[in-house]
Amino acid sequence: MKKHFLFIAVLAFHLCIHGQVKVENLLCENVINPIGIDITKPLMSWSLLSDKRGTSQTAYEIMVSNDMDSFDVKKLVWTTKKIFSSQSVHVPYLGATLQSGTKYFWKVRVWDNFGRVSPWSVTSYWQMGLTNKEDWKAKWIQIAFEEDSVNRPSPIFRKEFTITKKIKSATAFITSHGLYEGAINGKKIGDAFFTPGWSSYNKRLQYQSYDVTSLIKSGGNAIGVTLGNGWYRGPVGWIGNKNIYGKELGLLFQLQIEYSDGTKSFVTSDGSWKSTIGSIRSSDIYNGETIDARKEKVGWLQYGYGDSDWFGVNVKEFDNSILVASYKELPKRKESFKPLKISRTPKNELIVDFGQNLVGFVQLRISGSAGDSIIISHAEVLDKAGNFYTDNLRKAKQQNIFVLKGNGIETFEPHFTYQGFRYVRIDNYQGDLKPEDITAYALYADLEQTGSFNCSNPLLNQLQHNIQWGQKGNYLSVPTDCPQRDERLGWTGDAQVFFRTGAFNMHSYNFFSDWLKDLAADQTENGSVPHTIPNPFIIGENNDGSGSAGWSDASTIIPWDMYLFYGNKRILEEQYSSMKAWVDFITSKSKNYLWVNGWHFGDWLSYIPENDWQEKGARTDKQLIAQCFYAHSAELLAKTAQTLNKIDDFKMYSDLSAEIKKAYLNEYVTGNTRLISNTQTAYVLALHFDMLPESMRPKIIERLVQNIYDYNDHLTTGFLGTPYLCHVLSRFGHTDLAYKLLLQTDYPSWLYQVKAGATTIWERWDGQKPDGSFQDIGMNSFNHYAYGAIGDWMYRIVAGLNPNDANPGYKEIIIKPQFGGGLTSADASLLTFYGRVRSAWKIEGDKINMTVEIPCNTTASVFVPATTASLITESGKSILKSKDIVVKNEDGKVVELELGSGKYVFTASMKQD
């Protein structure tokens, strides 16, 4: 062992001295070692590691084998040999046909621009899912007893089997109608919650694949699965629709076992399974869960349990062609919170404050008598008197009930429900509640945390915290509007406005590519896009549940933003027909290129002062807004067509966008360059979407600035104007005013919420008013990420991190911070496919220090504030003497530098010559 460590130390020293390039972070379909993929040409990515500046890839070689221990030519299923290319991201597999359920191993090496060849990477793998419906040997099973149709308790299923040979590997493929939790020999299969996830179940039902080799033992084994109502048949939305996708829960389970002797066997759901009900007596996404520990089937997850009094199962036939492999990240148990405070309210309610508005559940340890019923209710806020406040939940109870068995200390937590809360109220609790007996757990999709931002202003740092926690709570199974009331739906408008911020904070590609497939699946025959995805509502003949500007445009805006952010053209290929259908739908509803038909949300929740609707309200004409988004979607479709080399479509939709803008100019702009709506949102959309000729834009930005001044330097925008407001101001030379808006601390502003003690983003600018009273209980969420879209401006403008759209996915990087607002420092980073990009700056007197980190195989344009390059040093030396830095441009205010990979520390004098 000592010799091994000595060898590693010598190797590390050798690499350091000789500056060898290495390959790391191998990804297949954006995942490390994925199990159960059904894409026949999966995409592979890797990053380079080198301590030598300016390192880039010039060639690569990939080998794929069906044997982990051998990459002998005879066992290779594909080899690229040496390919001269700088591509290290989204490289497609082009080898022999991949076989269902089979595991493949791969590694890569690269050559760089300094003539060095890397060692082979560590070996990674992917395993195929069940790529054809015929691969499913399992049968759908349902309970074979009469169900309590009122409470709908969770059914449980079990099956025993015996292993007599040595196992090489075992893979479980599972899905359900409803939600499932599976276990083998008492140990949970996987660590995710709410599987198989929410999708458009009747069109796209996902299944998960698990490596369960370690759970299976020689001899007798037992499989147990519990089902919950979830979104499949439980109430969804404020209307409370039930049985949207079906009335009966069902299970599809297939265990594939490979033995060391090369043979296989299968354990599948079929007529031999048993079923009954257990301790979960009711389960509901919105209302909560009731668990009666007295009803628990003790030992049912173990081999040898006596199930002779259980019922059989009914075998059913369903269309397995809609089954798709699950790629998106699933919800998992994340941060835990102990009580910040345990107290009594003025109403003598026992409450626990966890200090953070989060989404998940509470775990309780308790002892008591058999039959004792403990009720845990959940709330986001307390009222101004300090009492527990749940009016804003509307019909959602958010309440878990635990009935004790009465045999010492018992631990409870729910299975098929979640709550949005900071506070819990506990009823029927006997004795003193101790902090060690109660824990809150956050649940959210297991997305990689990729972005970070902090600065010298602690209020902005808290705002960043609130943005991130709003995202965590609403990125559960689909991107939702809110996680607490009787809604929790995949609103397209909310997802659209927040996507760019969310992509900075978390790696969102798989999560959103899956959601967009549901969007296309639920898109109506005429191309209209529902307000929520998945869509649980029945759309009328007039499409009154779809087709709203800014909401349905998620179908065009998000795919294009994903392409720019991640550089993967496949998202455009997959979504192109959906994008085209949406634009064509608008055109069919338009007259003379004006979108004048249909119903729109407009600039949702824009500023309207009380008792002053006519004079100071910021209501923007909805048709004006619709026209802007019509033009934008047509333009994005044209760009997409060009990117995909669809030349005819590129010309057609480019021409369409131009005609839409002409119609806008004639309909909504006066001869004196006034818009029919004198609002910030009207001006912002006109400028951001380039609706006007360049000659008119100075007048419009002037009117926008004046409007902001008229409101005492405050914003008045709603959901559709807010994401672009500060970007437009910065684009047209008013970053100082954008900072002023960002840093306001009274209503309406971002920091008003922060000063009020918020730990997430609110739905309304004044969800809780200065006097402690609340906004309209019909719509007042305290965890609603839409206004958190300002995070995109903080990353891109304050810190200056941007991709170059001409070479997307951060292959080319632009670092161009804009200073202001009294900030003396900012530091942001982003983990891209190529590695980590960082931009940090700090002002000290009349000097500014900038630290930038550029990953291998990329280049960057860095803008340093200085009148001339001679006033800039890097690591204490003049940049004019550095062979690693190219001075690209000087305009007397900033100096543009061109850099390769590496870490650079610049110091510049901010004095004028």
Side-chain angles (χ1 to χ4, degrees):
M1 183 63 72
K2 289 183 179 179
K3 289 183 179 180
H4 175 73
F5 282 119
L6 178 61
F7 172 77
I8 294 296
V10 171
L11 177 61
F13 177 76
H14 176 81
L15 291 175
C16 182
I17 294 297
H18 296 279
Q20 191 172 39
V21 63
K22 296 174 63 178
V23 179
E24 61 177 8
N25 196 34
L26 272 65
L27 302 174
C28 177
E29 289 301 321
N30 309 312
V31 179
I32 298 173
N33 299 333
I35 296 177
I37 66 174
D38 57 4
I39 294 175
T40 57
K41 295 181 180 179
L43 301 181
M44 294 172 275
S45 302
W46 58 87
S47 57
L48 279 61
L49 183 65
S50 171
D51 59 1
K52 190 173 180 64
R53 281 182 174 178
T55 298
S56 60
Q57 176 184 296
T58 59
Y60 68 83
E61 182 178 5
I62 300 172
M63 290 198 297
V64 180
S65 172
N66 54 19
D67 187 335
M68 178 179 67
D69 299 318
S70 175
F71 281 82
D72 182 84
V73 174
K74 294 181 180 180
K75 294 188 176 182
L76 291 181
V77 295
W78 185 50
T79 176
T80 62
K81 298 187 178 179
K82 186 176 182 180
I83 301 292
F84 288 92
S85 171
S86 66
Q87 185 178 1
S88 60
V89 170
H90 313 313
V91 177
Y93 169 84
L94 298 175
T97 301
L98 299 171
Q99 300 301 308
S100 179
T102 301
K103 183 177 284 188
Y104 296 90
F105 303 89
W106 70 290
K107 59 183 179 179
V108 62
R109 63 175 175 174
V110 303
W111 288 259
D112 72 6
N113 54 318
F114 298 108
R116 303 175 299 179
V117 58
S118 75
W120 284 101
S121 68
V122 297
T123 299
S124 292
Y125 65 84
W126 78 81
Q127 183 171 343
M128 298 301 293
L130 304 180
T131 54
N132 303 293
K133 67 177 183 179
E134 293 78 14
D135 296 326
W136 284 96
K137 304 178 185 302
K139 302 294 184 182
W140 280 95
I141 58 174
Q142 298 175 345
I143 60 173
F145 55 86
E146 187 175 351
E147 182 183 43
D148 175 352
S149 61
V150 176
N151 295 308
R152 288 177 152 181
S154 288
I156 56 178
F157 299 81
R158 75 183 307 272
K159 167 74 176 179
E160 294 186 353
F161 64 99
T162 303
I163 296 296
T164 59
K165 295 193 292 186
K166 184 178 180 181
I167 292 178
K168 178 182 178 182
S169 65
T171 306
F173 304 95
I174 316 175
T175 190
S176 60
H177 293 153
L179 305 178
Y180 72 82
E181 279 189 5
I184 296 178
N185 297 323
K187 296 181 179 179
K188 184 175 178 179
I189 298 174
D191 56 357
F193 290 77
F194 311 118
T195 47
W198 190 13
S199 63
S200 181
Y201 291 128
N202 294 338
K203 302 163 188 171
R204 297 183 65 252
L205 177 58
Q206 299 186 59
Y207 68 89
Q208 281 76 42
S209 308
Y210 304 92
D211 183 345
V212 295
T213 309
S214 63
L215 302 184
I216 298 176
K217 58 186 180 181
S218 179
N221 294 265
I223 301 169
V225 181
T226 306
L227 300 185
N229 298 317
W231 300 280
Y232 184 81
R233 72 171 189 180
V236 178
W238 60 90
I239 299 175
N241 291 344
K242 294 183 179 180
N243 306 322
I244 294 171
Y245 303 100
K247 293 183 179 180
E248 297 179 321
L249 302 182
L251 171 67
L252 189 67
F253 182 101
Q254 182 160 312
L255 177 62
Q256 172 183 299
I257 304 171
E258 296 186 33
Y259 299 100
S260 297
D261 64 4
T263 60
K264 292 182 181 181
S265 68
F266 296 87
V267 180
T268 65
S269 50
D270 57 23
S272 66
W273 287 53
K274 293 291 191 73
S275 68
T276 189
I277 58 173
S279 61
I280 302 176
R281 312 309 285 185
S282 67
S283 178
D284 185 289
I285 293 290
Y286 300 117
N287 295 326
E289 193 165 284
T290 296
I291 297 177
D292 188 341
R294 299 171 300 176
K295 306 293 186 181
E296 181 183 0
K297 306 295 184 183
V298 179
W300 76 280
L301 294 174
Q302 301 298 332
Y303 181 81
Y305 171 81
D307 58 12
S308 60
D309 61 340
W310 284 38
F311 300 91
V313 296
N314 291 326
V315 176
K316 298 287 185 176
E317 290 291 333
F318 292 99
D319 181 11
N320 285 349
S321 66
I322 66 169
L323 296 179
V324 294
S326 176
Y327 289 85
K328 70 180 179 185
E329 296 81 358
L330 300 169
K332 294 186 178 180
R333 190 190 306 248
K334 295 293 188 176
E335 295 90 342
S336 63
F337 295 83
K338 300 304 291 184
L340 184 66
K341 183 180 180 181
I342 299 175
S343 62
R344 293 275 178 177
T345 70
K347 292 183 178 180
N348 200 34
E349 303 161 310
L350 176 61
I351 64 167
V352 181
D353 177 5
F354 289 102
Q356 172 64 51
N357 193 2
L358 64 111
V359 174
F361 57 73
V362 164
Q363 183 189 81
L364 181 66
R365 295 176 68 252
I366 189 173
S367 60
S369 302
D372 285 354
S373 181
I374 309 301
I375 303 173
I376 301 182
S377 304
H378 303 75
E380 295 182 290
V381 292
L382 303 179
D383 67 19
K384 62 181 179 181
N387 291 310
F388 202 68
Y389 180 79
T390 58
D391 289 352
N392 70 316
L393 303 181
R394 302 190 308 214
K395 296 178 183 177
K397 291 182 180 179
Q398 277 214 135
Q399 195 173 78
N400 296 327
I401 301 174
F402 303 135
V403 181
L404 276 61
K405 184 184 299 183
N407 61 346
I409 296 177
E410 302 176 59
T411 300
F412 290 93
E413 64 181 45
H415 297 261
F416 300 117
T417 190
Y418 66 90
Q419 287 84 35
F421 66 99
R422 171 175 172 168
Y423 302 90
V424 298
R425 183 185 69 211
I426 304 180
D427 295 323
N428 302 335
Y429 190 90
Q430 304 299 316
D432 294 328
L433 179 64
K434 298 178 181 178
E436 58 265 30
D437 292 331
I438 188 167
T439 305
Y441 287 98
L443 296 177
Y444 51 89
D446 191 29
L447 303 171
E448 184 176 13
Q449 308 291 303
T450 49
S452 67
F453 174 91
N454 65 79
C455 67
S456 58
N457 187 318
L459 294 179
L460 290 184
N461 293 337
Q462 182 64 41
L463 175 61
Q464 168 70 2
H465 169 96
N466 294 1
I467 292 169
Q468 290 177 319
W469 274 93
Q471 179 175 359
K472 290 176 179 180
N474 284 292
Y475 278 24
L476 191 78
S477 185
V478 300
T480 54
D481 60 328
C482 62
Q484 73 298 93
R485 67 186 181 218
D486 56 352
E487 195 163 349
R488 314 186 194 190
L489 301 172
W491 284 96
T492 49
D494 302 58
Q496 180 265 120
V497 301
F498 186 76
F499 173 79
R500 295 204 333 180
T501 296
F504 271 112
N505 290 331
M506 300 179 179
H507 194 292
S508 308
Y509 185 91
N510 285 8
F511 188 74
F512 267 91
S513 63
D514 178 82
W515 184 75
L516 286 171
K517 289 182 177 67
D518 279 322
L519 184 150
D522 280 346
Q523 199 165 2
T524 64
E525 289 185 6
N526 63 7
S528 186
V529 175
H531 303 328
T532 62
I533 300 295
N535 179 37
F537 304 114
I538 298 173
I539 298 176
E541 293 181 1
N542 296 321
N543 297 301
D544 51 354
S546 69
S548 178
W551 270 250
S552 298
D553 295 281
S555 60
T556 54
I557 295 173
I558 294 179
W560 183 254
D561 282 346
M562 287 179 68
Y563 168 65
L564 295 182
F565 205 92
Y566 295 111
N568 190 350
K569 193 183 297 185
R570 193 172 69 188
I571 191 64
L572 301 180
E573 296 168 343
E574 292 174 341
Q575 297 301 131
Y576 187 76
S577 60
S578 170
M579 299 169 74
K580 188 174 185 293
W582 167 240
V583 174
D584 289 348
F585 166 79
I586 306 174
T587 302
S588 74
K589 297 297 180 181
S590 301
K591 185 177 181 180
N592 297 324
Y593 302 105
L594 284 172
W595 188 8
V596 293
N597 295 314
W599 185 89
H600 304 287
F601 288 102
D603 193 28
W604 193 248
L605 298 183
S606 60
Y607 172 72
I608 301 292
E610 292 186 22
N611 304 317
D612 197 6
W613 287 67
Q614 297 300 319
E615 297 299 322
K616 298 292 287 185
R619 290 192 175 275
T620 307
D621 183 271
K622 292 181 179 180
Q623 272 66 46
L624 179 150
I625 292 173
Q627 192 72 5
C628 292
F629 278 94
Y630 181 19
H632 187 51
S633 280
E635 189 168 30
L636 293 183
L637 182 58
K639 289 180 178 179
T640 300
Q642 184 179 38
T643 303
L644 300 180
N645 200 32
K646 297 177 182 289
I647 305 304
D648 291 343
D649 278 4
F650 167 62
K651 184 180 187 310
M652 179 171 65
Y653 289 106
S654 295
D655 292 344
L656 175 62
S657 178
E659 293 295 338
I660 296 167
K661 292 180 180 181
K662 287 180 184 177
Y664 169 89
L665 189 64
N666 293 331
E667 184 76 7
Y668 299 110
V669 185
T670 71
N672 197 29
T673 321
R674 289 187 178 275
L675 304 185
I676 67 165
S677 292
N678 180 32
T679 64
Q680 293 173 19
T681 291
Y683 299 129
V684 164
L685 296 182
L687 293 167
H688 189 73
F689 294 154
D690 294 331
M691 300 299 294
L692 302 169
E694 289 190 20
S695 61
M696 290 187 176
R697 295 174 192 175
K699 194 66 175 178
I700 294 297
I701 189 66
E702 180 184 312
R703 295 192 190 284
L704 171 60
V705 170
Q706 184 59 51
N707 186 283
I708 294 171
Y709 290 159
D710 290 343
Y711 282 92
N712 299 314
D713 297 338
H714 283 74
L715 53 76
T716 62
T717 49
F719 275 29
L720 296 184
T722 299
Y724 311 121
L725 174 59
C726 288
H727 279 294
V728 164
L729 289 172
S730 292
R731 174 184 169 186
F732 289 94
H734 294 278
T735 295
D736 56 338
L737 185 54
Y739 269 109
K740 189 174 291 187
L741 292 177
L742 176 64
L743 295 171
Q744 292 287 5
T745 57
D746 58 337
Y747 165 75
S749 70
W750 288 281
L751 297 187
Y752 167 76
Q753 301 176 9
V754 172
K755 294 277 283 187
T759 59
T760 47
I761 299 296
W762 295 353
E763 179 178 22
R764 293 177 177 268
W765 293 117
D766 61 340
Q768 189 164 21
K769 300 179 181 181
D771 65 0
S773 62
F774 296 109
Q775 256 285 3
D776 179 9
I777 63 172
M779 191 169 56
N780 195 23
S781 162
F782 291 93
N783 192 350
H784 219 96
Y785 54 51
Y787 287 138
I790 187 61
D792 182 66
W793 186 83
M794 292 161 64
Y795 276 110
R796 291 175 186 260
I797 303 301
V798 179
L801 287 179
N802 289 276
N804 186 337
D805 293 354
N807 200 347
Y810 290 88
K811 176 67 172 172
E812 294 182 10
I813 303 159
I814 297 173
I815 295 181
K816 189 177 183 179
Q818 297 185 39
F819 313 103
L823 298 187
T824 57
S825 68
D827 190 340
S829 68
L830 174 67
L831 184 60
T832 73
F833 281 113
Y834 300 96
R836 191 170 301 279
V837 181
R838 181 185 174 210
S839 172
W841 56 266
K842 186 174 184 180
I843 298 174
E844 295 179 325
D846 62 356
K847 294 185 180 297
I848 185 163
N849 298 308
M850 287 182 63
T851 300
V852 299
E853 295 179 23
I854 312 301
C856 292
N857 208 28
T858 69
T859 58
S861 294
V862 178
F863 294 78
V864 182
T867 56
T868 177
S870 63
L871 297 177
I872 305 173
T873 62
E874 195 283 310
S875 298
K877 299 178 181 179
S878 172
I879 63 170
L880 299 178
K881 298 180 180 179
S882 174
K883 60 181 176 57
D884 302 321
I885 302 168
V886 175
V887 178
K888 193 173 181 180
N889 188 41
E890 301 179 62
D891 66 3
K893 295 181 180 179
V894 295
V895 178
E896 181 181 359
L897 308 176
E898 190 173 288
L899 314 175
S901 65
K903 181 178 180 179
Y904 303 81
V905 180
F906 298 105
T907 300
S909 172
M910 299 179 72
K911 287 182 177 179
Q912 298 291 322
D913 277 354

